[in-house]
Amino acid sequence: MNIGQAAAASGLSAKMIRHYEQSGLLQPTQRSEAGYRQYQSKDIEILKFIRRARILGFSLADIAGLLALWQNPQRSNTVVKQVAQQHLAEVELKLQELHAMKQTLQQMIAQCAADGGAHCAILQHLAKPTRS
Amino acid sequence: MNIGQAAAASGLSAKMIRHYEQSGLLQPTQRSEAGYRQYQSKDIEILKFIRRARILGFSLADIAGLLALWQNPQRSNTVVKQVAQQHLAEVELKLQELHAMKQTLQQMIAQCAADGGAHCAILQHLAKPTRS
DNA sequence: TATGAACCTTACCCTCATGGCAAGGTCAAG
DNA sequence: CTTGACCTTGCCATGAGGGTAAGGTTCATA
């Protein structure tokens, strides 16, 4: 299986698969005589694992750790849970930040007449916020 | 006023002020004989404007537009509102994505025994998701 | 058999907002 | 006159990709 098929099968781009290999997330695969990377179905499972973890927002560094734990029969699920909880905390922090942005943006937009005039509550708020 | 004081007064870093100038967001300021950037209180207001807009998540490109509108007496608040609404839509999209991540992470974490064993619902989910 | 399309390789540069470091110039106080 | 705090420019790094270019390979079809 060449990298194109591996990309299609895993949902990643070929570019990213090479990038993951180059940054140490993946073991270098076997190569064909011409130098083409060769992927086995086992490799596809790893690629899918990476893709799912990326969708959940795990960093590549986190994923490297999770992959090592996944492939280690002596692993402790306590460690895995800690990684996930740490990531969840970061996600929740970003959620809070974005929520605060959303609130303020909504208030500003609600106060904007949008009548084509020059008076603008949004610019006023950015220039000299009355609250928040 | 040198850049250090301008940074302290605006809440930005000196580094970022230089960067904003270099990327065209700010007009180059006057310089002292030694080449030091000189800031007036009017400049500080602009820097504060930028900082508040950054806190709300506007991109530097957006802020360039907002600054131009702010300083244009012929502006139309309709345009300003459009910029803000577009940004709000992006914020809401990211909120949805992060919320989905949070939901899945919470489910995975709740199913993880964390008893030090090798069985791990989190890794299982990443390897072969039963749902989502 | 030749050729062209579709694939693969590596090696660059770009994003975006920000931080860090290095080498050197300036200023003010002791 | 030295010292320390400030300033200057310029370069590199981040993270997770995208784009592009120049060149090699594979395969089917004319």
Side-chain angles (χ1 to χ4, degrees):
Chain A
M1 209 179 197
N2 288 342
I3 200 170
Q5 274 121 28
S10 66
L12 297 169
S13 69
K15 185 92 190 212
M16 279 304 100
I17 295 176
R18 291 191 199 99
H19 179 63
Y20 295 157
E21 178 186 317
Q22 211 243 326
S23 52
L25 193 53
L26 296 171
Q27 298 297 116
T29 61
Q30 285 183 332
R31 300 284 187 124
S32 72
E33 286 191 5
Y36 286 18
R37 290 171 181 81
Q38 300 299 134
Y39 294 88
Q40 314 299 324
S41 61
K42 179 191 144 204
D43 300 317
I44 304 304
E45 293 312 307
I46 296 176
L47 294 176
K48 286 184 183 173
F49 184 102
I50 293 174
R51 176 163 180 267
R52 292 186 198 111
R54 282 298 302 137
I55 288 172
L56 290 178
F58 285 103
S59 69
L60 296 193
D62 278 350
I63 295 174
L66 290 173
L67 271 176
L69 287 163
W70 187 37
Q71 283 156 355
N72 175 8
Q74 310 300 320
R75 70 180 169 240
S76 158
N77 51 20
T78 312
V79 179
V80 179
K81 189 167 190 171
Q82 279 172 0
V83 173
Q85 280 174 327
Q86 174 66 33
H87 177 51
L88 175 59
E90 289 161 10
V91 167
E92 285 174 338
L93 189 60
K94 280 193 188 166
L95 271 170
Q96 282 179 23
E97 292 171 6
L98 281 172
H99 188 68
M101 288 182 196
K102 175 181 167 180
Q103 294 281 92
T104 305
L105 285 168
Q106 281 181 330
Q107 285 172 19
M108 286 175 14
I109 288 168
Q111 288 165 19
C112 177
D115 54 7
H119 175 81
C120 184
I122 294 170
L123 292 175
Q124 246 175 22
H125 187 100
L126 288 171
K128 209 172 278 270
T130 49
R131 61 164 163 263
S132 118
Chain B
M1 208 178 196
N2 287 341
I3 199 170
Q5 273 120 29
S10 66
L12 298 169
S13 69
K15 185 92 190 210
M16 278 303 101
I17 295 176
R18 290 191 200 99
H19 179 62
Y20 295 158
E21 178 186 318
Q22 211 243 326
S23 52
L25 195 50
L26 296 170
Q27 298 298 117
T29 61
Q30 285 182 333
R31 300 285 187 121
S32 74
E33 287 190 4
Y36 287 19
R37 290 172 181 81
Q38 299 299 135
Y39 295 88
Q40 314 299 324
S41 62
K42 179 190 142 205
D43 300 317
I44 305 303
E45 294 312 307
I46 297 176
L47 294 176
K48 285 183 182 173
F49 184 102
I50 293 174
R51 177 164 179 265
R52 292 186 198 111
R54 281 297 301 137
I55 289 171
L56 290 177
F58 285 102
S59 70
L60 296 193
D62 278 350
I63 295 174
L66 291 172
L67 272 176
L69 287 163
W70 186 37
Q71 284 156 357
N72 175 9
Q74 310 301 320
R75 71 183 168 236
S76 158
N77 51 20
T78 311
V79 179
V80 179
K81 190 165 187 171
Q82 279 172 0
V83 173
Q85 280 175 326
Q86 174 65 34
H87 177 51
L88 174 60
E90 288 162 11
V91 167
E92 286 175 336
L93 189 60
K94 279 193 190 167
L95 270 170
Q96 281 180 23
E97 292 171 6
L98 280 173
H99 187 69
M101 287 182 196
K102 175 179 166 179
Q103 295 280 92
T104 305
L105 285 167
Q106 281 181 331
Q107 286 172 20
M108 285 173 18
I109 288 169
Q111 290 165 18
C112 177
D115 55 6
H119 175 82
C120 184
I122 294 170
L123 291 176
Q124 244 175 22
H125 187 100
L126 288 171
K128 210 172 277 269
T130 49
R131 61 164 162 262
S132 115

